[in-house]
Amino acid sequence: MYKLLLVDDERLILEGISQVVDWAQAGTELAGTARNGIEALDQIERLRPDIVITDISMPGLDGLGLVERCSVHYPGLKFVMLTGYKDFDYACTAMQHGVKHYLLKPCNEQQIHEALTELVQELNELHSREQFMSDMKHRLTKVLPHVKAQFLKEWISNKTYGSRDLEYYQELFGIELGSKNVRLLLFRLEESFEYEHLFALQNIAGDLLSEVLLSTTIGSQLLILMEQPEEADNQRDLLERIAGVKEIFFNFYQIHVTIAVSDKGRMIHSRSLYRQTLQCMNHRFYLEEGSLITGSDIPADELSVHSEIDLGEEQICLLVKAGDQAAVQNELERLFGVLADQRFDINVTRSYVLQLYSAMIRLCSPDERSSFTSGLAELAALGTLGSLKAGVMRAAERLTAMYERHFVSRQSSIVDKMLRIIEADYGNSELSLGSVAAEMLYMNPDYLGKIFKKVTGEKFSNYVTNYRIGKASGHILHSGDVKVFELAELYGFGGNAQYFSQVFKKVTGKTPTDFMKPQ
């Protein structure tokens, strides 16, 4: 329902129109009345109506003066002008301020109803356009972080990207990259972890390190590109703040994080900076878990390029833990394809496969570990790449199935917590997937949304809407006659009675007013 204010200096006309017009049928709600333009301005400030029906000729401030003032302070306010003067000049003056409806007194309720119906339709179309634009902006806002993450991932791995690509993407993101000094930070979680822990780490780093420009996940590691201004040369301060990130993360999750920090350089040289972080990360073998490693920690003779291939076992283990059978199979196909292309000595190839299998063993529960460990001896005795591949595939399928069962159970517990938050906070109009994610300690909203839909079969927003309308329906049945705006306030619609009515009808098939009528 749209709120309406009625303004006329003649009391009989004011009372007559108030009583004879079926406001609800026209999609409106009579929120108040006023006897002149000055009083109307006070009411508009207090009630914030959507539509004003006003006489033109009134003492003090007439209808045209009221329209002029409102066009400045309340440009979205719609007017219906009433007058007893058949003077087109009045209509022209009103139309200059966007007034389209001009009724001659005396007018009947049908004429007013028709004018209001047109205005309500116009307001509905306007709100639909605004909602469409808002949805589009929201979607762009949601997708942009994914585009940024993908760009960084491809930039540091794709040699065909050049300065022109950089210009395009920095314009798209609204950030300057080419002229900045940057550093790369590579984060590795050392203990067993879930994929959402990477997002939590990413969010904590974003909160504590104001210089972060871009970030992405690569396999089971987090990569951050941060600005290193010319004047900010205090590396000790920077390292202390980076150490603060892993400290806070450990306090939350009891998981150690090893961090590799590159030297500073230009964005165009970021691929070599990334290789430096990988070399730093390889050096963690000689240090304690949760170390912070820079180029100065590595002996000069270790900074050479190795011809070894990246097994990607961490990525495979991550997919196993996610219970994603198809993705595990695809990743293993890719790995064994690389091994086939390299044509290493069979003993070298077997060592890579055993390394991968050993990483998988670490994912086993204590009860299953001995069974999987015995498979190492069987793999070591195999003499062809095809047989090695088949053995690893079988083990991976079995292990992934175990995690799939665990993952489904864990997802259900996460959704149970989300449902408890909805039950406790459904009356808050600010309740959203983002606010729930923040309440659940840095969890990623997109990840939570996917889990919620998978477990409940509904999008989070749809579930909340249906829950609110269900509560509102129960309130109506229990209390009988109740104001629509009160329902909108109680059940999370921020007092927006018109929007609440639209949603209520969409869900129940009836308006709140019809729902209140005895069946």
Side-chain angles (χ1 to χ4, degrees):
M1 294 285 182
Y2 292 102
K3 290 195 290 186
L4 183 144
L5 178 69
L6 180 60
V7 187
D8 200 301
D9 63 323
E10 298 183 45
R11 183 176 60 82
L12 291 177
I13 292 177
L14 197 65
E15 292 177 355
I17 293 177
S18 298
Q19 294 172 10
V20 301
V21 176
D22 189 338
W23 306 106
Q25 189 180 13
T28 61
E29 171 194 354
L30 183 60
T33 61
R35 299 290 298 274
N36 55 60
I38 299 296
E39 188 178 327
L41 282 176
D42 291 338
Q43 293 279 58
I44 290 169
E45 171 64 27
R46 186 172 64 85
L47 299 173
R48 296 301 173 97
D50 304 290
I51 301 171
V52 174
I53 299 178
T54 180
D55 189 13
I56 284 184
S57 179
M58 295 182 295
L61 180 67
D62 65 13
L64 294 179
L66 177 62
V67 170
E68 281 188 47
R69 292 200 188 182
C70 288
S71 68
V72 176
H73 299 291
Y74 309 99
L77 191 55
K78 302 296 182 184
F79 279 87
V80 177
M81 307 299 293
L82 303 176
T83 182
Y85 298 94
K86 296 180 181 180
D87 189 340
F88 188 67
D89 290 342
Y90 283 105
C92 289
T93 304
M95 288 176 185
Q96 288 174 8
H97 295 286
V99 179
K100 298 179 181 177
H101 297 279
Y102 181 82
L103 303 177
L104 293 176
K105 293 163 70 175
C107 55
N108 58 39
E109 63 269 23
Q110 183 60 33
Q111 291 171 306
I112 296 175
H113 179 84
E114 290 174 358
L116 289 178
T117 300
E118 289 184 29
L119 273 179
V120 166
Q121 183 177 352
E122 183 182 331
L123 285 168
N124 285 339
E125 290 173 356
L126 177 63
H127 288 168
S128 294
R129 288 195 298 272
E130 290 175 346
Q131 186 63 45
F132 174 76
M133 293 303 296
S134 175
D135 289 345
M136 288 298 293
K137 289 179 180 177
H138 179 64
R139 288 174 187 173
L140 287 172
T141 301
K142 285 186 70 175
V143 78
L144 195 56
H146 300 291
V147 177
K148 289 180 176 180
Q150 189 62 27
F151 163 73
L152 179 57
K153 187 180 298 185
E154 293 185 5
W155 173 264
I156 55 96
S157 62
N158 189 343
K159 295 180 180 179
T160 62
Y161 271 30
S163 57
R164 286 188 179 180
D165 301 291
L166 188 59
E167 289 173 9
Y168 169 78
Y169 281 104
Q170 65 184 9
E171 183 178 348
L172 177 65
F173 301 151
I175 55 177
E176 174 61 38
L177 296 169
S179 63
K180 294 182 183 297
N181 276 326
V182 297
R183 287 183 190 271
L184 284 171
L185 313 180
L186 190 63
F187 296 76
R188 174 193 170 97
L189 277 62
E190 295 296 351
E191 288 86 13
S192 176
F193 65 93
E194 303 292 343
Y195 197 60
E196 63 264 26
H197 289 136
L198 283 174
F199 290 110
L201 182 60
Q202 187 176 30
N203 289 332
I204 293 171
D207 287 345
L208 296 188
L209 304 174
S210 59
E211 305 94 334
V212 171
L213 297 172
L214 299 170
S215 59
T216 190
T217 55
I218 299 179
S220 60
Q221 299 184 127
L222 170 66
L223 181 69
I224 287 180
L225 176 80
M226 64 182 298
E227 181 180 3
Q228 181 67 37
E230 294 283 358
E231 64 275 9
D233 258 348
N234 188 347
Q235 184 164 326
R236 182 175 178 180
D237 171 68
L238 172 64
L239 296 180
E240 286 177 355
R241 289 188 290 122
I242 294 172
V245 173
K246 67 186 185 72
E247 213 172 290
I248 290 177
F249 182 80
F250 181 80
N251 290 338
F252 271 128
Y253 299 106
Q254 300 301 300
I255 297 175
H256 290 287
V257 181
T258 299
I259 307 174
V261 184
S262 77
D263 293 336
K264 69 178 181 179
R266 294 291 185 180
M267 181 67 182
I268 200 68
H269 301 129
S270 54
R271 293 183 191 109
S272 62
L273 297 179
Y274 177 59
R275 287 195 296 272
Q276 186 185 46
T277 62
L278 292 176
Q279 291 172 333
C280 288
M281 195 60 75
N282 288 336
H283 193 69
R284 75 186 188 284
F285 178 80
Y286 301 100
L287 304 172
E288 294 181 359
E289 286 186 340
S291 297
L292 202 163
I293 312 167
T294 68
S296 61
D297 297 314
I298 305 175
D301 59 354
E302 287 189 22
L303 293 174
S304 56
V305 178
H306 298 283
S307 59
E308 296 180 359
I309 63 170
D310 180 9
L311 270 182
E313 71 266 28
E314 292 172 349
Q315 173 67 6
I316 293 172
C317 290
L318 195 63
L319 294 172
V320 167
K321 291 171 69 177
D324 193 336
Q325 290 279 10
V328 170
Q329 185 175 4
N330 289 338
E331 188 64 16
L332 287 173
E333 290 283 359
R334 182 198 66 78
L335 170 62
F336 278 94
V338 171
L339 290 174
D341 291 340
Q342 293 293 328
R343 302 293 176 121
F344 293 129
D345 177 85
I346 185 62
N347 290 323
V348 174
T349 300
R350 187 184 289 111
S351 71
Y352 276 119
V353 175
L354 294 178
Q355 181 180 338
L356 169 62
Y357 191 85
S358 297
M360 291 168 55
I361 289 175
R362 290 196 292 272
L363 300 179
C364 294
S365 65
D367 295 339
E368 297 285 344
R369 190 162 293 153
S370 60
S371 171
F372 273 83
T373 302
S374 64
L376 270 175
E378 296 174 14
L379 287 176
L382 297 176
T384 67
L385 183 61
S387 58
L388 285 168
K389 177 181 175 182
V392 172
M393 284 284 194
R394 286 193 299 271
E397 182 179 357
R398 179 181 163 195
L399 189 57
T400 305
M402 295 177 189
Y403 270 95
E404 187 176 13
R405 291 191 293 271
H406 164 75
F407 196 57
V408 169
S409 173
R410 186 175 180 279
Q411 286 180 334
S412 296
S413 68
I414 290 174
V415 171
D416 285 343
K417 183 173 181 180
M418 295 172 74
L419 294 175
R420 289 195 295 273
I421 292 174
I422 293 171
E423 289 172 9
D425 210 25
Y426 65 85
N428 179 7
S429 61
E430 299 299 319
L431 177 66
S432 67
L433 191 57
S435 67
V436 172
E439 195 168 331
M440 295 177 72
L441 294 180
Y442 287 103
M443 292 191 77
N444 180 267
D446 289 341
Y447 176 79
L448 282 181
K450 289 175 183 175
I451 289 178
F452 191 89
K453 186 172 183 180
K454 182 177 178 181
V455 174
T456 67
E458 281 189 274
K459 289 176 62 177
F460 179 85
S461 57
N462 291 346
Y463 183 93
V464 172
T465 296
N466 291 332
Y467 188 88
R468 286 168 167 166
I469 297 302
K471 285 286 187 180
S473 302
H475 186 98
I476 292 172
L477 293 173
H478 181 265
S479 303
D481 190 20
V482 61
K483 299 293 184 185
V484 175
F485 75 88
E486 292 177 352
L487 292 170
E489 184 67 39
L490 283 171
Y491 295 103
F493 289 83
N496 189 335
Q498 189 265 338
Y499 179 58
F500 170 78
S501 297
Q502 288 180 344
V503 175
F504 192 95
K505 185 174 183 181
K506 183 177 179 181
V507 173
T508 67
K510 295 182 179 181
T511 65
T513 304
D514 290 338
F515 197 84
M516 293 176 197
K517 295 176 182 177
Q519 303 299 313

